[in-house]
Amino acid sequence: MMDALLAQLPVALGMGIIGAVVFSAIGLISGSDETTTIAPLTLLVVLIGVPPAGVYTFFLAGAVSKHMTHAVPTALLGIPGDTMATPMMREANYLRQLGVPHIALRKMISGGVIAALIAVPVTVVFALLLAPFGGFVQHTAPYLFLIAALAIAYFSPGRWAAVLALGPFVLIIVALQNLTAAHGVKLGVSYFLGIAIGPLISDLFLVLSPAERARRKRDRPARFSLAPDVKRWSGYFPNPLKVLDSRQTSWTIGTAVASSLTFVFSPVAMTVIMGEVVSSRIRHVYHRLTTTLAVRNGVTESTYIAEALIPLMAFGLPLSPVAAGPAAPLFNAPPRFTVDSASGQVNNLHNLLGTWEFLVYGLLAVVLALLIAYPFSMNYARRAASFVSRNISHEAIIGTFVGLILVIGLWEGGLLGLLVVVTVGLVGGFLSRLLGFNIGVQFMGFYIAVLTVPALTALL
Amino acid sequence: MRNDRLLEVWNDTVDGHHLIGSLIIGGAVSLGAFQAAEWLLGMFIDDPRMARTYAMLFGIIGCVVGGAICAYLFRPKREVVEDTVDTENLQGVLAALYADYGSRGGVEDLPEAVRSELRELELEEAFLVYERDHAQGDAVALAEHDLGRAGREGVKS
């Protein structure tokens, strides 16, 4: 066992460092949603043939780093760093106005550090407890996905509208799949990318329409105030246990454990709920702001780790919103990793890594992320936020993502692939905006189309 | 900076013409990199599937290069002001904060660690002043009074 671990150690280490560096930088750019960035880069790493341990550390170190540096624009500029950062905007804004945005930043990042370290072992233990049910889960996966999708839809902002909209949405995906199959094209990532980047695609269509464009006219640039940062410790590597007080540390640990166990729910919803649970138990308003921030950012780390790892270790099936979205290439990246919908057979990291490897490389990935993202965001937050907001225009970010749509769409399915990305993005973007049929529900809709629908039609 | 081409797209402000320019540059550079890499790599790598996968890597690098060119050509449409803390309005912010969250107990009841954190941030005095001025009953009334102004500035998201 030790030999196997050591043999893959160099590649695990190297890929973890690459993941941490790349996603520390991406986290600084607001609007860089997790799925649009983590999923395609992880897919690339899988397909160029990086060994399993390297794929795993790349993904995990990347996700953990991104959820640390995303606190920088959130705290200092008042712009959410990504989707997971939105539940922290309210508290972060109040601390900004009190003139102490660096406190918001440090509480968030320190909460993330502690939660990420706790989440890996908790997740591995929980996955081991669930593993005996793996056979049953793989067998009944098509129906479990249906139940999970209905639950996730009901708890989305759209409530019943989202539940009912699942029908037409799944129908569109099934129809698109049959269309592309008729031309010998089988698509996967194109759907994920379309869903994840839908809000941008629908916005680009909207500004092409004259009536809507008139409504979106602005007479002045958006104004951001960049808050000052004050360094209050000596040295390079601040101790997170000194940044948080003892109550904050224990709440962060408690919610990290709790949110690791609720791995089938939406990570944003868990972040909101855990924050509320803790907030209502803190008496003084200032203490409440800082504790809520530490806990919420901790939960962004722990839910991401648990939602990716538990389904991967225990079942090999993407049975959670994170597993179905940003972590999808760990489960399904044909031809290398596959999930067979008919037999429930899986061939992915589930089979390729053992329990000890999940634990040891998982901790390695988290430690690498901590060594890179944590001191970076603690020491250079203000300069990084200032650089990004003054030098990287929104047009450039949009240009980058439109390039990504073109490359991934054409790579996977030629012109047909590109059309599928645009179609899914346009429909999904509007459904999300108008009905609250959000991205997590759309990912589950995709899995109903590829897993549940074939199983049901086979019964007929 | 006066500009009548400004639009709000994907939660930030862009210039319509610059947006079109970015779409063209972003698309052309990334696609160009992808297609050129596929053609070139196809000559060296036997497995066309692997050649295509590596071409995707170059395509993604092309996306970043395209973005960098756009960032160089088109400046951000953001006004970034260096924040100086407006301490005069601190009491207004506190009013909005207390109205929004409510507070049980005052600064005196805080654990010493939290209290000294507030003291280091030079906020302890402001909280004490607010709590003294708005002891219980009239806290609500004043919060409502100030909420209009401070509240709007308070929660932008």
Side-chain angles (χ1 to χ4, degrees), chain A residues 346-369:
Chain A
V346 298
N347 173 40
N348 53 33
L349 290 187
H350 175 69
N351 321 85
L352 298 170
L353 291 177
T355 305
W356 280 104
E357 292 166 301
F358 273 114
L359 179 64
V360 172
Y361 294 134
L363 286 172
L364 174 72
V366 170
V367 168
L368 288 174

Side-chain angles (χ1 to χ4, degrees), chain A residues 258-295:
Chain A
S259 60
S260 298
L261 306 187
T262 55
F263 66 97
V264 285
F265 297 110
S266 143
V268 175
M270 284 317 297
T271 308
V272 172
I273 292 167
M274 289 295 166
E276 290 304 317
V277 167
V278 172
S279 177
S280 63
R281 281 168 175 72
I282 305 287
R283 295 175 67 83
H284 191 268
V285 67
Y286 169 79
H287 201 207
R288 196 178 291 178
L289 287 180
T290 52
T291 311
T292 306
L293 282 174
V295 163

Side-chain angles (χ1 to χ4, degrees), chain A residues 23 45 48 57 83-84 159 172 215 414 441:
Chain A
F23 285 101
V45 166
I48 58 178
T57 51
T83 318
M84 292 299 291
R159 289 271 183 248
I172 291 171
R215 238 167 303 178
V441 189

Side-chain angles (χ1 to χ4, degrees), chain A residues 402-404 406-407, chain B residues 25-35 58-60 62-63 66:
Chain A
V402 168
L404 193 67
L406 291 171
V407 169
Chain B
I25 295 168
V29 175
S30 57
L31 266 192
F34 174 58
Q35 300 286 3
F58 284 93
I60 290 178
C63 296

Side-chain angles (χ1 to χ4, degrees), chain A residues 24-57:
Chain A
S24 294
I26 294 178
L28 296 171
I29 297 167
S30 53
S32 55
D33 171 81
E34 291 86 346
T35 311
T36 50
T37 53
I38 298 179
L41 293 183
T42 306
L43 175 73
L44 182 72
V45 166
V46 173
L47 292 184
I48 58 178
V50 171
V55 171
Y56 174 57
T57 51

Side-chain angles (χ1 to χ4, degrees), chain A residues 206-217:
Chain A
L206 279 172
V207 289
L208 266 181
S209 157
E212 179 64 20
R213 183 165 62 238
R215 238 167 303 178
R216 281 160 171 270
K217 279 230 177 281

Side-chain angles (χ1 to χ4, degrees), chain A residues 165-417:
Chain A
L166 264 174
F169 186 75
V170 170
L171 194 67
I172 291 171
I173 292 182
V174 172
L176 286 173
Q177 285 196 317
N178 284 325
L179 171 72
T180 60
H183 295 271
V185 174
K186 195 172 185 307
L187 301 173
V189 208
S190 296
Y191 290 98
F192 296 125
L193 190 65
I195 290 170
I197 214 161
L200 169 63
I201 295 176
S202 57
D203 255 27
L204 288 176
F205 273 87
L206 279 172
V207 289
L208 266 181
S209 157
E212 179 64 20
R213 183 165 62 238
R215 238 167 303 178
R216 281 160 171 270
K217 279 230 177 281
R218 297 287 176 271
D219 50 6
R220 47 175 299 163
R223 192 183 168 92
F224 295 104
S225 51
L226 180 60
D229 192 6
V230 188
K231 184 168 171 168
R232 280 181 194 273
W233 68 88
S234 56
Y236 189 68
F237 203 94
N239 179 353
L241 295 173
K242 284 189 183 150
V243 178
L244 301 184
D245 62 58
S246 58
R247 284 194 74 190
Q248 292 171 334
T249 308
S250 33
W251 277 118
T252 305
I253 293 173
T255 49
V257 172
S259 60
S260 298
L261 306 187
T262 55
F263 66 97
V264 285
F265 297 110
S266 143
V268 175
M270 284 317 297
T271 308
V272 172
I273 292 167
M274 289 295 166
E276 290 304 317
V277 167
V278 172
S279 177
S280 63
R281 281 168 175 72
I282 305 287
R283 295 175 67 83
H284 191 268
V285 67
Y286 169 79
H287 201 207
R288 196 178 291 178
L289 287 180
T290 52
T291 311
T292 306
L293 282 174
V295 163
R296 283 216 166 121
N297 205 44
V299 174
T300 68
E301 297 283 19
S302 54
T303 51
Y304 247 68
I305 293 171
E307 295 209 1
L309 291 199
I310 292 176
L312 190 61
M313 283 185 67
F315 318 124
L317 290 167
L319 264 169
S320 78
V322 172
L330 302 181
F331 295 84
N332 208 354
R336 193 167 170 213
F337 295 165
T338 51
V339 174
D340 186 345
S341 51
S343 63
Q345 275 293 318
V346 298
N347 173 40
N348 53 33
L349 290 187
H350 175 69
N351 321 85
L352 298 170
L353 291 177
T355 305
W356 280 104
E357 292 166 301
F358 273 114
L359 179 64
V360 172
Y361 294 134
L363 286 172
L364 174 72
V366 170
V367 168
L368 288 174
L370 302 192
L371 289 177
I372 293 166
Y374 177 66
F376 168 75
S377 35
M378 285 298 226
N379 288 301
Y380 301 107
R382 187 171 192 283
R383 272 152 74 185
S386 170
F387 177 83
V388 170
S389 61
R390 284 174 215 272
N391 290 296
I392 300 185
S393 58
H394 199 49
E395 288 92 330
I397 296 171
I398 294 176
T400 308
F401 279 106
V402 168
L404 193 67
I405 294 171
L406 291 171
V407 169
I408 300 288
L410 289 173
W411 167 79
E412 202 183 23
L415 203 54
L416 209 49

